[in-house]
Amino acid sequence: MLSLVAIILPKTFIDKIWVGEDRILVVLAMIATFLQHNIWTISAQMAEAQRQTFKVQLINLSTVLINLFTIIILWIFGKLILPLILLIIILEWLVASVFASKMYKTYQIKNNLEKKDTAKSVFREFWIYCLPLIPYAWLSFIHDFADRWMLQTWGGSNQQAYYAVAQQFSVIALLITTSILRVFFKEISEAQYKKDFKKIENYYKIISKALYFASAAIAGGLIPWSNEIIILFLGDKYISGIATLTLMFLYPIHQSLGQINGSLLYATEKTKVHVNIGIFFMSFSILIVYFMLAPSNLILPGLNLGSNGLAIKMVIMQFIQVNITGYVISRIFGWKFDWVYQIYIIVTVIFFGWISKFFITSFLSVGIISMFSLSFFIYIIMTLLSIYFMPWLLSLTKTELRNGLSHLIFRLR
């Protein structure tokens, strides 16, 4: 792909596909994205395989903070230009990836099973595992690119900005999921190797519900404050993006389940199942997003909904895909498919979010930050109480919940 963009494609193609952007800028963006989202991910997984979760998160946090401080310095000195930013991102994630990959150690495991491994058998194992992922990776690229290209072409840079900002804020709801996902992958992979299917079921049900609740709780607390978040952080010029932001706060709720489902299928070597479901939904999604974004005056007219249309598509398609994948997983492993808890959790957290905001704004007249802080404090108390009185939402009993709280208090002391 890099050779295609950097050398082979003529300038007219570059101008058409990337809407007038310079070729060098596109190449730098590709390298920066590849290092941050591919090389770093692989390096972090290598470290996670050694259960170096804390060190991996420390490297990740350090890299993000260094990037933030560097951007601030460039802004102060008036050098905040895109090529320089991309070069900095390339350097930062390259260094981070080197540090993380160095944590991986190899061991000589002396048993009969390992002695049978040869270069040919290992290659065959990886070939069977990875072969379905090749068309999946290409279609993923086409799907993601089509979404943003159609939004840019028919909605323009303003709609692109509304969606990009909403997507960045929505990531907040995935913070807990991201930190736990690799640990989950490691434990499921090990349980699969040992044929401990009961452990796989317990881990999947408890972790998926817990992370779903965590993502929903963060989103539920932020959704009522979408208007204030836009005004406070971005200003009045982004006020038209409030609906997009509100919708995108819903997206990570089921995205957390989607990532858990994907990790389970990868860890248990069910890549073909994951790919087949993904290819079907991505193909269908491209058609849906066309009708959401296309102007009404085309031969095949669309709804011309701009960033709102793309956000609606993301939320609805994610919800359907996650639950179908969950159903397929339950059939593969022979356990009961449970989805009703999703409705209970979403309704509960959004209701608590609006109630806490209404209570604070009705009785206090202080700054936005103060009102948000007090509202979120009340919201957290209400959410924790709901867990205590309805522990089944997290696949726990009250006894298990009390034991967990006692252990947590002991560790904190």
Side-chain angles (χ1 to χ4, degrees):
M1 287 299 296
L2 188 63
S3 301
L4 190 68
V5 173
I7 302 169
I8 300 172
L9 285 178
K11 189 176 184 303
T12 52
F13 275 64
I14 299 294
D15 292 339
K16 182 66 176 176
I17 297 173
W18 279 277
V19 197
E21 294 294 349
D22 185 70
R23 186 192 297 265
I24 298 298
L25 196 63
V26 175
V27 169
L28 288 174
M30 289 179 68
I31 297 172
T33 304
F34 186 71
L35 278 166
Q36 183 176 356
H37 296 288
N38 292 77
I39 300 300
W40 162 250
T41 299
I42 294 168
S43 301
Q45 286 174 341
M46 291 170 67
E48 290 282 2
Q50 306 295 313
R51 290 189 169 90
Q52 298 288 348
T53 304
F54 179 77
K55 290 182 180 179
V56 171
Q57 294 299 325
L58 187 61
I59 293 173
N60 187 53
L61 178 62
S62 301
T63 305
V64 172
L65 289 175
I66 290 170
N67 181 264
L68 175 62
F69 292 139
T70 306
I71 294 297
I72 292 172
I73 291 169
L74 291 176
W75 173 63
I76 292 172
F77 288 96
K79 301 294 184 181
L80 198 61
I81 57 175
L82 202 50
L84 190 55
I85 293 172
L86 293 173
L87 285 170
I88 290 168
I89 291 172
I90 290 170
L91 179 63
E92 289 167 344
W93 290 107
L94 178 62
V95 173
S97 299
V98 170
F99 274 106
S101 62
K102 292 293 183 183
M103 297 180 196
Y104 185 79
K105 308 293 181 184
T106 57
Y107 302 95
Q108 293 296 328
I109 303 174
K110 295 181 180 180
N111 58 49
N112 293 330
L113 181 64
E114 297 296 333
K115 287 180 179 178
K116 294 178 182 178
D117 277 342
T118 63
K120 184 178 180 180
S121 67
V122 172
F123 177 81
R124 178 175 173 77
E125 180 184 355
F126 273 82
W127 178 252
I128 294 171
Y129 183 94
C130 295
L131 181 61
L133 299 175
I134 297 173
Y136 181 79
W138 278 94
L139 187 59
S140 296
F141 163 74
I142 295 170
H143 168 267
D144 295 344
F145 187 85
D147 280 359
R148 303 304 289 267
W149 185 85
M150 283 189 272
L151 182 61
Q152 178 71 28
T153 302
W154 293 322
S157 56
N158 286 343
Q159 294 295 319
Q160 189 78 263
Y162 298 151
Y163 180 79
V165 166
Q167 190 178 43
Q168 291 298 316
F169 274 109
S170 71
V171 173
I172 296 171
L174 281 176
L175 291 176
I176 298 175
T177 302
T178 304
S179 61
I180 292 176
L181 203 60
R182 293 194 185 102
V183 180
F184 174 78
F185 180 92
K186 169 65 181 175
E187 297 302 327
I188 294 295
S189 180
E190 186 176 279
Q192 169 73 10
Y193 181 77
K194 295 178 179 178
K195 308 297 182 184
D196 190 349
F197 298 112
K198 186 63 180 176
K199 184 178 180 180
I200 293 175
E201 180 182 1
N202 291 336
Y203 270 48
Y204 173 75
K205 289 187 175 181
I206 293 173
I207 295 298
S208 60
K209 287 186 177 181
L211 291 182
Y212 183 85
F213 188 92
S215 299
I218 296 172
L222 294 174
I223 284 173
W225 296 89
S226 297
N227 185 72
E228 289 78 5
I229 289 171
I230 288 287
I231 293 173
L232 182 63
F233 288 99
L234 302 168
D236 294 337
K237 62 184 179 180
Y238 279 87
I239 204 73
S240 299
I242 291 174
T244 304
L245 178 62
T246 303
L247 288 165
M248 286 303 292
F249 274 139
L250 294 171
Y251 177 66
I253 299 176
H254 282 88
Q255 190 180 12
S256 63
L257 279 186
Q259 292 184 354
I260 290 293
N261 289 342
S263 292
L264 178 73
L265 292 172
Y266 281 134
T268 56
E269 301 183 20
K270 303 291 191 297
T271 53
K272 192 172 181 179
V273 175
H274 180 64
V275 165
N276 288 340
I277 296 173
I279 285 177
F280 172 78
F281 274 95
M282 282 190 291
S283 303
F284 189 61
S285 178
I286 293 173
L287 297 176
I288 295 296
V289 80
Y290 171 86
F291 287 105
M292 285 288 187
L293 301 183
S296 56
N297 58 355
L298 294 182
I299 298 175
L300 284 175
L303 299 175
N304 197 24
L305 294 177
S307 59
N308 292 339
L310 184 53
I312 291 169
K313 188 272 298 188
M314 297 289 285
V315 172
I316 293 176
M317 293 297 293
Q318 179 84 348
F319 173 79
I320 298 172
Q321 181 176 354
V322 159
N323 281 285
I324 288 179
T325 305
Y327 175 76
V328 171
I329 287 172
S330 67
R331 292 295 300 270
I332 291 172
F333 290 95
W335 61 58
K336 184 181 177 182
F337 174 58
D338 183 18
W339 67 277
V340 178
Y341 72 91
Q342 299 172 25
I343 306 299
Y344 280 109
I345 290 174
I346 290 178
V347 172
T348 300
V349 296
I350 292 178
F351 176 73
F352 286 168
W354 281 106
I355 285 293
S356 60
K357 180 183 180 182
F358 176 77
F359 180 80
I360 290 297
T361 54
S362 297
F363 295 99
L364 293 177
S365 181
V366 292
I368 292 177
I369 297 177
S370 299
M371 285 196 294
F372 175 78
S373 301
L374 292 170
S375 172
F376 212 75
F377 177 73
I378 295 172
Y379 172 75
I380 290 173
I381 293 175
M382 296 170 71
T383 304
L384 292 176
L385 287 174
S386 72
I387 295 175
Y388 182 79
F389 288 108
M390 296 185 291
W392 53 268
L393 290 173
L394 304 181
S395 287
L396 297 173
T397 63
K398 281 199 173 183
T399 302
E400 290 172 332
L401 185 62
R402 290 193 191 102
N403 291 339
L405 289 173
S406 299
H407 180 70
L408 178 61
I409 292 169
F410 174 77
R411 291 295 299 271
L412 289 172
R413 284 176 178 174

